[in-house]
Structure formats: structure tokens, C-alpha cells
Amino acid sequence: MLLSIALIIFSGLIFGFFCKQMHLPALVGMIIGGILIGPNGLGLLDESILNCSAAIRKIALIIILLRAGITLQMSDLKKMGRPAILMCFLPACFEIVGMIILAPIFLGVTRLEAAIMGAVVGAVSPAVIVPRMISLIEKKEGTAKGIPQLVLAGASVDDVFVIVLFTAFTGKATGDGSSILSFVNVPVSIICGIGVGILVGILLSLYFTKFHVRDTVKLMVLLGLAMLLCVGEDALTERIPFTFSALLSIMTMGMVIKMKKGETAARLSVRLNKIWVLAEIFLFVLVGALVKVENAADYGIEALLLVLAVLVFRALGVFLCVLKTKLNGKEKLFCIFAYLPKATVQAAIGGIPLAMGLACGDMVLTVSVLAILITAPLGAILIDSLHKKLLQKDME
């Protein structure tokens, strides 16, 4: 296993570096590196590391949601009001609907399989968006109208909303909770997830206030509790029909700590950023290792056209969110571009249908990887190259 870990790290670093030199996101190179060293490439990875791939990818998702929660301020959501709320779910819903309409035509899948596929590709990428929006906030670009805050807040909640839908759709596909309860559970999971996150966040803030421990210990407590929340969600799901969204709890927990203990949150954010450097490599290299190149060739053109087509639905959803706001045409266009990148959630859950033994598993994974390879570089390039032209700098 040690050799496999070393190969994952070095392939991620090397291929990521080459992509950066070509002004592409490093995660694209990491996926390519994973394809190369994975079982469908040179077969250099040990079976033991592949068996725990899902758990490793889940940990990476926990880290990025904690990072987003600790960065985001509750006041940013209040400042934007209606658009911020709509950005949390409307673009994803439009893209899922687009997938349900178009996937059966392009790929011949059932409506339910198309819904699963839509839930996988419907989320934007915190790995691409979060650091770029934080950078814009620091540079005071678009902050007067709260544009980077709007995208950051919407993208963070959007991921959790889509993951909850994904759980409901896969549950229906496997026959677990195939009744209407699985879909009623979506708003219940969101509300309960927020409630649990607020409670845990308040308790953690009190603990950090009463007991003065090193920030490293605080971070370990934070990560340990986040993992326990995920375990608790899984355990409760097996026993009761209604449960909570652990991932939403994790992000909300971070937001509460940011609100209650701002200085502590800032220091923890720095440490989470450092951990993410390693977690990002494992996440994207391992998802690349799952890809079957022959399947990508089989679905290639149709899957490519499908990914591009559903982006039109997403763009329409974003446009409706910012309609009748104070944003001008350029700023609205920036919001559409900023909501294009996909990577983190697709990497984390794209292989789950395959692991569950669903017939559409290979196809879902292939489409999710294609979505990453197309939208992550496209969105990152558009954000990086056009933000100065589309956003106004705050002169205060």
C-alpha cells in the first residue's frame, strides 16, 4: 500500500504541475494521472488502496465542505437575500431536469438512471470555485454587490442539496425507500442537517472558549466530529425513514464557528487549506483510477454532447436566480461562468452507483469524469481570464 500511496502523490503532483503550466486546473492532470496508474491503465495501484477509495474520497469531501463553511459568513447570505437562496438549488434543479429530458435520448437510459446521472453532475465544484471566490473577496473585486459571496454561498449549499437528491434517487434505484418517503426526506434532511450543524457548532464554540488547546487539536476535534456525523447519518438511515444530511451539518457547523469564533475559524481555515493540498490529490487521482477508458470511448460523443447540452439548462437556472437584481449584464454573465466548473462532488460520488452494482454505474462514472474534464478547465479559465473585465473593483 505504501508504494501505491507514493504513486498517487507523485502522479498527482507531476501531472498537476504540467496542467498548471498549460494554464489548466491541476485536478485535470490528477485525473489523467489516476487513469494512467489505475487498474484500467498500467495497473500499478494495490487492491487495498482501491478498496478504501470510497472512504478516502468521502474524507476529501468533508474537508472541502468544512473549508467552505468556515470561509462563509452568515451575513453574506442575508446580504444577497433571494438570489442567494435560489442559487443554492435552482441551477442544480434545472440541470437535473435537463438530464432527465436529454439522457434517455442521448444514452438510452431510463428516467431514474438519468435522474441519478443528473444528481451526480448537477453540483458545482468547491475545489475550483472556493479558492477563486476567496481570492476575489481578498482583492475586493465584485464585493460591493456581493457577487463572489453569492457564488461561494450558493455553491456550498448547492453541493449538499444535490448529494441529498442523489441519495434519494439511488435509494429508489436499489429498492431502499422507493416510496414517496425517500423524496419527502429531502427537505427534512436539509432542515435537520442545518439544525444538527448549528447545535454541534455552538457546542464546539463553547468548548473552544472554555478550553484553550492548540489549533491543531481543535482541527482534529473538528474533523473527528465531522466523520462521526457521517457515521451517525448512515446508522440512522438504516433504522428510521427520516434522518439528517451530515454533509450539510458539517458545513453549517463551520459557519457557526466562523460566526462565534471568527479568529479561531480563520486559523483553522489556513490549516484546512494545507490539508486540502494532499486530500485533493487523493480525491482526483483515485477517481481517475476508477475510469474505464473503453467505456469513455463507447459513450464518448453522446456523453460529451449531453454534458454540454445540460450546461445550457444550468446557465438558464443561474440567469433566473440573478434576474431583477442590481447586477448588470456583465456581472450576471460572470455568475453563469462561475457556476460552470464541476469536479469535487463528481469525484466523490461518481463511482458510488458502480460500487452499488447499478446497471448505469459505468455510464454515470464516465459522464461524471467527462463533466470534470470539460467544465473544470472551462470554468476556471473563464473565471481567471474574465473576472477583471466583468466585475467592478470595490474602491473603498
Side-chain angles (χ1 to χ4, degrees):
M1 181 181 282
L2 291 178
L3 176 60
S4 294
I5 292 174
L7 287 171
I8 289 170
I9 293 172
F10 283 115
S11 64
L13 288 174
I14 293 169
F15 284 93
F17 171 78
F18 284 130
C19 277
K20 280 185 176 179
Q21 295 300 106
M22 294 185 287
H23 303 288
L24 295 173
L27 59 90
V28 175
M30 294 173 192
I31 291 175
I32 294 171
I35 294 172
L36 182 64
I37 66 173
N40 301 297
L42 298 177
L44 301 178
L45 295 181
D46 190 83
E47 191 69 26
S48 56
I49 196 76
L50 295 173
N51 290 337
C52 58
S53 172
I56 294 172
R57 287 182 279 121
K58 187 67 169 284
I59 292 171
L61 188 59
I62 288 171
I63 291 170
I64 194 62
L65 286 174
L66 270 177
R67 186 184 174 200
I70 282 182
T71 302
L72 189 62
Q73 296 194 49
M74 198 72 72
S75 58
D76 293 334
L77 287 172
K78 294 179 181 179
K79 180 180 179 181
M80 292 307 299
R82 176 187 61 84
I85 296 172
L86 292 177
M87 289 283 273
C88 293
F89 67 91
L90 195 61
C93 288
F94 266 71
E95 190 163 9
I96 292 171
V97 169
M99 187 68 77
I100 292 172
I101 294 171
L102 298 177
I105 299 172
F106 281 92
L107 300 176
V109 297
T110 66
R111 298 292 181 191
L112 179 57
E113 290 172 338
I116 294 171
M117 197 177 296
V120 171
V121 303
V124 293
S125 171
V128 179
I129 291 176
V130 168
R132 284 170 171 79
M133 294 305 110
I134 292 173
S135 176
L136 291 177
I137 292 171
E138 292 171 349
K139 294 175 182 176
K140 302 291 184 182
E141 293 187 18
T143 51
K145 294 184 180 179
I147 296 169
Q149 298 96 316
L150 168 68
V151 174
L152 182 60
S156 301
V157 181
D158 166 279
D159 289 351
V160 180
F161 172 75
V162 168
I163 290 169
V164 173
L165 284 180
F166 171 77
T167 304
F169 291 141
T170 51
K172 186 172 179 62
T174 56
D176 298 330
S178 58
S179 68
I180 193 66
L181 288 177
S182 60
F183 295 97
V184 174
N185 191 29
V186 173
V188 174
S189 294
I190 292 174
I191 294 170
C192 292
I194 293 172
V196 171
I198 291 173
L199 176 61
V200 176
I202 291 172
L203 293 175
L204 267 180
S205 299
L206 293 173
Y207 169 75
F208 291 158
T209 301
K210 189 169 183 179
F211 299 98
H212 297 283
V213 294
R214 296 175 58 186
D215 288 334
T216 305
V217 176
K218 292 176 182 175
L219 182 59
M220 287 191 290
V221 170
L222 198 62
L223 287 171
L225 279 173
M227 293 176 193
L228 285 176
L229 285 171
C230 290
V231 173
E233 180 192 17
D234 294 338
L236 288 174
T237 302
E238 296 175 358
R239 292 176 173 81
I240 58 177
F242 297 106
T243 181
F244 66 98
S245 169
L247 296 177
L248 186 53
S249 297
I250 290 165
M251 194 188 71
T252 306
M253 176 175 65
M255 292 173 66
V256 171
I257 293 172
K258 170 74 173 178
M259 185 171 57
K260 297 283 187 181
K261 303 284 291 182
E263 293 183 4
T264 300
R267 296 195 302 270
L268 291 176
S269 179
V270 172
R271 284 162 174 77
L272 279 169
N273 292 346
K274 293 178 180 178
I275 294 175
W276 173 245
V277 174
L278 182 62
E280 181 183 33
I281 291 174
F282 274 86
L283 175 61
F284 293 112
V285 172
L286 285 174
V287 79
L290 292 173
V291 176
K292 294 182 179 179
V293 179
E294 62 272 18
N295 288 343
D298 292 339
Y299 310 133
I301 299 300
E302 293 84 357
L304 175 63
L305 292 174
L306 178 62
V307 170
L308 293 174
V310 295
L311 285 179
V312 177
F313 283 80
R314 169 169 284 275
L316 178 59
V318 175
F319 177 75
L320 291 178
C321 290
V322 295
L323 194 64
K324 295 185 178 180
T325 63
K326 295 180 180 180
L327 305 187
N328 59 39
K330 290 182 178 180
E331 291 163 341
K332 291 175 182 176
L333 186 60
F334 176 82
C335 291
I336 291 174
F337 290 158
Y339 244 54
L340 291 180
K342 305 172 187 300
T344 320
V345 174
Q346 289 73 25
I349 68 175
I352 291 178
L354 179 62
M356 295 172 69
L358 297 180
C360 62
D362 279 332
M363 194 179 298
V364 171
L365 177 60
T366 301
V367 171
S368 65
V369 172
L370 276 175
I372 295 171
L373 295 176
I374 294 168
T375 63
L378 176 63
I381 291 168
L382 289 173
I383 294 170
D384 294 343
S385 61
L386 297 178
H387 68 86
K388 290 184 179 180
K389 297 179 181 179
L390 300 179
L391 299 180
Q392 296 178 0
K393 189 172 181 65
D394 184 2
M395 302 308 294
E396 292 184 3

